[in-house]
């Protein structure tokens, strides 16, 4: 009897503690799968706490979802394997042909066409293309854009639809994929269609505004919540657990509120976004502001959900549990808040800040489906710099890229390849070759001969292999991904460069700690010229710099691949026409990828003091050279260069101690 009473008392106490825990730690579930796959259709969402809802409300209080009649999948149940022929794409890569658009088009559609036509995927020949893109234009209500003549039942077609209003069923998709802005979950075909973000009309073509987050952790006095309103604005609400900031049935005092009209986003930590489809536009605003999106039972597919792990940047919650959701947001650890806010800024900058990035992400997803196992890994999509800047044609191994060593706590192994570019007529760089070959970290020396004068028949004997390659007589050829380069690290040199073995060894040691950045000796700095109303750059020796000259610099060989296959052809042509621009272009590229400045290391006075065209007090530059940096800033859509005042020196550098205690003694020689 006593045993039975003891067990009953123990069960009662356990049940009481369970109820208390459920109250203290509310049920807030992240409903997005961690790694959605194209071949596995996703439910969206499937709540894990449905059976526990009566614990937080009285029977009959919760609204029941209206029963929906079953709907047949669009396009006859098409999936990737059945409705897309990828055989042509595997031979020539993903090539996209855009069907001609008849009639006037909006500014948004012109931006889309410009972003695709300037990409590496575009082709002007429909016979060469393996993907044909059809742009669905805005037409009167109840109508849809007519399909093109070369429709072929929609096979290998992508219908790009940016309008929130669906077309009537008279528009037969056939076997075509649909890239639609904020599609509803009941019409979206996972692994076949592509979910796009709902873009505003004024969204920039390229570049785009940076993220607005300035304080990663909640700051005292900053509102916790911002609620999206139907008229397009935001409202900050109080954090009293007894209030219900988004449920109109709550009768309690909502606490202090502040209205923000239009698209201005308040400085809040969490942005509550109702699940109705018109509210999808608030989603991008929250990402840009670094406000963690809290999606309340969303009825639309999150953008690029096939590849983006939204559990790292957003929260999906049940709108029927307002008190529990609010309490859970208040109790969220600051480390989790910091990680979510940082991820919102990365995703905004990598995939959503411009029309160009949105379109390129769409095509990159389709290319990943084509190549299957050799496509991007989930880490490449969901960590900086993003999949658009981690080309699978370079490698499918994460260790081959320069961006992920910090996450793994590793550093590049091996030695470096010295690439000496010979462009102007003159004597062969024999002294430079001997200095570089004397480094114990040098694996090979490659001489890229781009001079009109033929190379000498005999070269000095060195302890490392020396190879002479014939160049194409243009400056950008020095950044081509030559097959002869066998190491991750490249020491880029000009024939007129002058470096010592100690300088090379120390610079390589620094680069191994920062493999994603450029490490160099001579520096330039950019500035905004108020008088000219544009950008300028100078070679004045000062503490601040933003570029290192590639006439003597270390960087990762992957940047050769990005330079050749990712940069617009117009920018590479500009660099060839104005040789001074090639240094600026390479620095633009690395800064745009890393969001970091280069690193400067000490050098001796014997270095060649390179002078750019824009030097205060110097000769008047040529118009093309003066405007070089502005043309590149326009090509990128923004100014990517980051200034720095950091120079890394060896231990005991110029300290008043015995030289016998210093490893790099020759660095201090006058």
């Amino acid at each position: 009897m006593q045993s039975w009473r003891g067990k009953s008392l123990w069960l009662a106490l356990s049940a009481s503690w369970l109820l208390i825990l459920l109250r203290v730690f509310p049920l807030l579930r992240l409903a997005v799968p961690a790694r959605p796959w194209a071949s596995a259709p996703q439910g969206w969402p499937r709540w894990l706490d449905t059976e526990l809802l009566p614990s937080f409300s009285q029977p009959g209080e919760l609204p029941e979802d209206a029963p929906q009649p079953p709907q047949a999948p669009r396009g006859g149940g098409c999936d990737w394997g059945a409705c897309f022929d990828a055989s042509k794409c595997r031979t020539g890569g993903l090539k996209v042909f855009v069907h001609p658009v008849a009639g006037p088009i909006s500014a948004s559609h012109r931006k889309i066409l410009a972003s695709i036509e300037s990409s590496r995927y575009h082709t002007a020949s429909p016979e060469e293309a393996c993907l044909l893109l059809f742009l669905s234009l805005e037409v009167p209500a109840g109508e849809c854009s007519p399909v093109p003549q070369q429709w072929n039942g929609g096979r290998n077609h992508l219908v790009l639809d940016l309008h929130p209003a669906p077309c009537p069923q008279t528009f037969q998709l056939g076997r075509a994929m649909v890239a639609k802005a904020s599609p509803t979950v009941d019409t979206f075909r996972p692994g076949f269609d592509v979910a796009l973000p709902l873009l505003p009309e004024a969204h920039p073509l390229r570049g785009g505004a940076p993220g607005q987050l300035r304080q990663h952790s909640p700051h005292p006095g900053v509102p916790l919540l911002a609620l999206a309103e139907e008229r397009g604005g935001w409202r900050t609400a109080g954090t009293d657990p007894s209030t219900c900031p988004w449920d109109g049935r709550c009768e309690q005092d909502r606490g202090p509120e502040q209205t923000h009209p239009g698209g201005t986003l308040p400085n809040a930590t969490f942005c509550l976004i109702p699940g109705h489809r018109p509210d999808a536009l608030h989603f991008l605003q929250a990402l840009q502001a670094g406000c963690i999106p809290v999606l309340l039972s969303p009825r639309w597919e999150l953008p690029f959900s096939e590849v983006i792990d939204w559990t790292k940047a957003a929260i999906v919650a049940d709108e029927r549990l307002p008190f529990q959701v609010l309490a859970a947001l208040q109790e969220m650890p600051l480390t989790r808040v910091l990680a979510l806010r940082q991820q919102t800024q990365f995703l905004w900058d990598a995939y959503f800040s411009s029309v160009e990035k949105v379109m390129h992400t769409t095509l990159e997803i389709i290319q990943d489906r084509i190549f299957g196992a050799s496509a991007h890994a989930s880490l490449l999509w969901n960590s900086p710099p993003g999949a658009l800047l981690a080309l699978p044609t370079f490698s499918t191994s994460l260790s081959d890229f320069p961006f992920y060593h910090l996450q793994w706590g590793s550093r590049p192994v091996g030695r470096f390849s010295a690439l000496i570019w010979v462009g102007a007529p003159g004597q062969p760089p024999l002294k430079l070759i001997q200095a570089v070959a004397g480094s114990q970290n040098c694996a090979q020396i490659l001489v890229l001969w781009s001079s009109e004068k033929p190379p000498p028949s005999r070269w000095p004997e060195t302890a490392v292999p020396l190879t002479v390659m014939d160049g194409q007589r243009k400056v950008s050829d020095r950044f081509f991904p030559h097959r002869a380069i066998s190491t991750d690290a490249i020491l880029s040199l000009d024939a007129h460069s002058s470096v010592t073995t100690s300088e090379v060894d120390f610079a390589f040691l620094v680069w191994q700690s920062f493999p994603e950045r450029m490490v160099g000796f001579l520096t330039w700095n950019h500035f905004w010229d108020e008088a000219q109303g544009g950008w300028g750059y100078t070679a004045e020796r000062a503490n601040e710099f933003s570029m290192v000259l590639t006439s003597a610099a270390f960087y990762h060989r992957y940047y050769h691949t990005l330079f050749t296959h990712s940069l617009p052809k117009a920018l590479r042509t500009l660099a060839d026409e104005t040789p001074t621009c090639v240094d600026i272009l390479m620095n633009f590229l690395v800064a745009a990828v890393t969001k970091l400045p280069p690193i400067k290391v000490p050098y001796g006075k014997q270095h060649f003091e390179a002078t750019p065209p824009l030097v205060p007090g110097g000769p008047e530059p040529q118009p093309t050279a003066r405007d070089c940096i502005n043309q590149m800033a326009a090509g990128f859509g923004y100014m990517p260069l980051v200034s720095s005042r950091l120079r890394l020196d060896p231990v005991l550098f110029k300290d008043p101690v015995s030289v016998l205690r210093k490893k790099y003694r020759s660095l201090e020689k006058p």
Side-chain angles (χ1 to χ4, degrees):
M1 189 69 174
Q2 294 294 334
S3 176
W4 180 84
R5 289 180 179 177
K7 291 181 179 179
S8 300
L9 180 61
W10 183 83
L11 290 174
L13 290 175
S14 300
S16 301
W17 277 107
L18 178 60
L19 290 176
I20 293 174
L21 289 175
L22 290 176
R23 284 285 185 179
V24 176
F25 302 101
L27 297 178
L28 186 60
R29 296 292 186 260
L30 303 180
V32 186
R35 174 61 172 126
W37 293 93
S39 58
Q42 320 166 35
W44 198 186
R46 295 292 183 265
W47 307 114
L48 305 180
D49 54 358
T50 306
E51 70 279 1
L52 299 177
L53 290 179
S55 301
F56 303 100
S57 59
Q58 298 299 324
E61 185 180 15
L62 295 175
E64 294 293 337
D65 295 333
Q68 300 292 332
Q71 297 183 359
R74 292 187 306 171
C78 262
D79 57 29
W80 179 256
C83 296
F84 191 90
D85 181 13
S87 59
K88 190 174 183 180
C89 302
R90 294 192 180 98
T91 56
L94 178 62
K95 294 297 181 181
V96 181
F97 172 78
V98 182
H99 285 290
V101 179
I105 59 176
S106 65
S108 297
H109 290 98
R110 282 195 294 270
K111 294 176 184 177
I112 291 173
L113 293 177
S115 63
I116 296 176
E117 291 173 355
S118 63
S119 70
R120 64 179 183 273
Y121 312 100
H122 181 257
T123 178
S125 171
E127 291 76 17
E128 182 184 355
C130 72
L131 178 67
L132 296 96
L133 191 142
F134 170 63
L135 192 59
S136 179
L137 301 179
E138 191 172 359
V139 294
E143 299 181 14
C144 283
S145 301
V147 298
Q149 295 182 353
Q150 300 175 341
W151 183 241
N152 192 26
R155 191 174 185 85
N156 282 41
H157 272 76
L158 176 66
V159 178
L160 195 60
D161 190 359
L162 303 182
H163 312 301
C167 284
Q169 294 300 322
T170 55
F171 177 57
Q172 299 297 330
L173 291 173
R175 299 182 177 182
M177 297 178 289
V178 178
K180 190 176 182 64
S182 301
T184 56
V185 295
D186 56 344
T187 59
F188 181 76
R189 298 171 292 183
F192 192 65
D193 293 338
V194 180
L196 301 180
L198 190 58
L199 299 178
E201 186 73 21
H203 211 57
L205 169 61
R206 59 175 58 92
Q212 299 176 2
L213 183 60
R214 295 297 177 265
Q215 180 71 33
H216 290 299
S217 298
H219 194 272
V222 174
L224 178 70
L225 300 177
L227 176 64
E229 294 185 321
E230 293 183 1
R231 60 180 180 271
W234 294 85
R235 184 184 76 243
T236 55
T239 58
D240 186 353
S242 65
T243 64
C244 176
W246 68 84
D247 194 337
R249 295 171 298 146
C250 296
E251 299 178 357
Q252 297 93 340
D253 181 15
R254 296 188 179 185
E257 297 182 357
Q258 182 181 2
T259 301
H260 299 260
T264 303
L265 185 66
N267 185 17
T269 303
F270 297 98
C271 285
L272 302 178
I273 304 176
H276 305 292
R277 194 159 171 266
D279 292 302
L281 188 59
H282 289 98
F283 185 72
L284 282 190
Q285 296 175 355
L287 284 182
Q288 182 181 4
C291 185
I292 302 171
V294 181
L295 307 172
L296 305 174
S297 303
R299 297 167 180 84
W300 43 275
E301 188 75 13
L302 288 182
F304 306 137
S305 57
E306 182 177 335
V307 294
I308 293 180
D309 183 3
W310 284 111
T311 64
K312 297 180 178 180
I315 296 173
V316 177
D318 195 335
E319 63 182 353
R320 298 172 294 179
L321 300 175
F323 303 127
Q324 285 69 35
V325 171
L326 181 58
L329 296 180
Q330 289 179 296
E331 296 295 332
M332 183 173 291
L334 293 182
T335 54
R336 174 66 173 160
V337 173
L338 173 61
L340 289 170
R341 300 190 82 179
Q342 288 178 330
Q343 191 70 1
T344 62
Q345 299 298 272
F346 156 65
L347 294 177
W348 164 261
D349 180 76
Y351 306 118
F352 299 106
S353 62
S354 67
V355 175
E356 186 177 69
K357 291 178 181 177
V358 171
M359 290 297 101
H360 289 185
T361 303
T362 303
L363 298 178
E364 200 71 27
I365 290 175
I366 296 176
Q367 181 169 259
D368 273 12
R369 297 176 184 173
I370 295 171
F371 291 102
S374 60
H376 293 97
S378 178
L379 179 63
L380 295 178
W381 280 103
N382 294 282
S383 61
L388 297 184
L389 295 173
L391 304 182
T393 53
F394 172 76
S395 176
T396 58
S397 174
L398 300 181
S399 61
D400 291 336
F401 293 92
F403 316 116
Y404 308 104
H405 292 284
L406 181 61
Q407 300 181 30
W408 295 344
S410 63
R411 59 187 301 174
V413 296
R415 299 184 289 175
F416 67 85
S417 298
L419 180 61
I420 303 176
W421 182 72
V422 181
Q427 295 296 325
L430 304 181
K431 186 177 180 180
L432 177 63
I433 291 175
Q434 294 291 350
V436 174
S439 171
Q440 59 182 354
N441 299 306
C442 182
Q444 60 177 164
I445 297 177
L446 304 174
V447 178
L448 183 60
W449 195 271
S450 296
S451 174
E452 296 180 356
K453 181 181 178 180
S457 57
R458 298 185 61 183
W459 292 84
E461 294 185 2
T462 58
V464 296
L466 188 148
T467 304
V468 180
M469 302 183 297
D470 188 22
Q472 298 182 6
R473 310 295 188 271
K474 57 183 181 179
V475 182
S476 62
D477 189 45
R478 66 187 302 173
F479 299 130
F480 185 81
H482 300 282
R483 293 184 178 272
I485 300 176
S486 60
T487 61
D488 287 339
I490 294 178
L491 173 58
S492 176
L493 297 166
D494 283 350
H496 59 256
S497 301
S498 176
V499 293
T500 65
T501 304
S502 295
E503 291 170 346
V504 170
D505 285 338
F506 178 70
F508 178 67
L509 179 68
V510 172
W511 177 87
Q512 286 183 309
S513 299
F514 306 94
E516 75 281 8
R517 298 162 77 170
M518 296 181 69
V519 177
F521 303 92
L522 299 174
T523 59
W524 292 349
N525 190 36
H526 77 289
F527 60 89
W528 178 258
D529 190 343
E530 291 287 352
Q532 299 291 335
W535 295 101
Y537 59 103
T538 176
E540 281 189 335
R541 299 185 64 177
N543 291 332
E544 191 168 349
F545 62 92
S546 58
M547 295 178 279
V548 295
L549 271 65
T550 57
S551 58
F554 278 99
Y555 53 81
H556 198 279
R557 68 186 178 98
Y558 175 61
Y559 292 121
H560 280 199
T561 300
L562 278 182
F563 189 96
T564 304
H565 300 294
S566 180
L567 285 177
K569 184 178 180 181
L571 293 181
R572 298 198 306 271
T573 303
L574 175 63
D576 288 330
E577 295 174 350
T578 311
T580 309
C581 293
V582 73
D583 286 291
I584 303 176
L585 184 56
M586 191 62 171
N587 280 271
F588 264 57
L589 173 64
V590 179
V593 172
T594 63
K595 309 296 186 296
L596 295 170
I599 295 177
K600 183 179 181 179
V601 291
Y603 61 93
K605 294 183 179 180
Q606 75 278 7
H607 276 280
F608 174 79
E609 296 291 342
T611 302
L614 296 183
V615 179
E620 183 68 18
Q622 297 296 326
T624 306
R626 182 194 299 115
D627 202 43
C628 170
I629 190 171
N630 290 290
Q631 294 185 47
M632 291 186 179
F636 277 78
Y638 70 108
M639 170 53 71
L641 296 178
V642 182
S643 296
S644 174
R645 296 185 178 183
L646 173 68
R647 189 185 77 179
L648 296 183
D649 299 335
V651 178
L652 302 179
F653 181 69
K654 292 189 176 181
D655 284 356
V657 297
S658 172
V659 294
L660 298 178
R661 300 175 58 186
K662 300 181 180 183
K663 182 176 181 179
Y664 302 97
R665 306 167 191 171
S666 61
L667 294 183
E668 302 183 29
K669 292 182 179 180

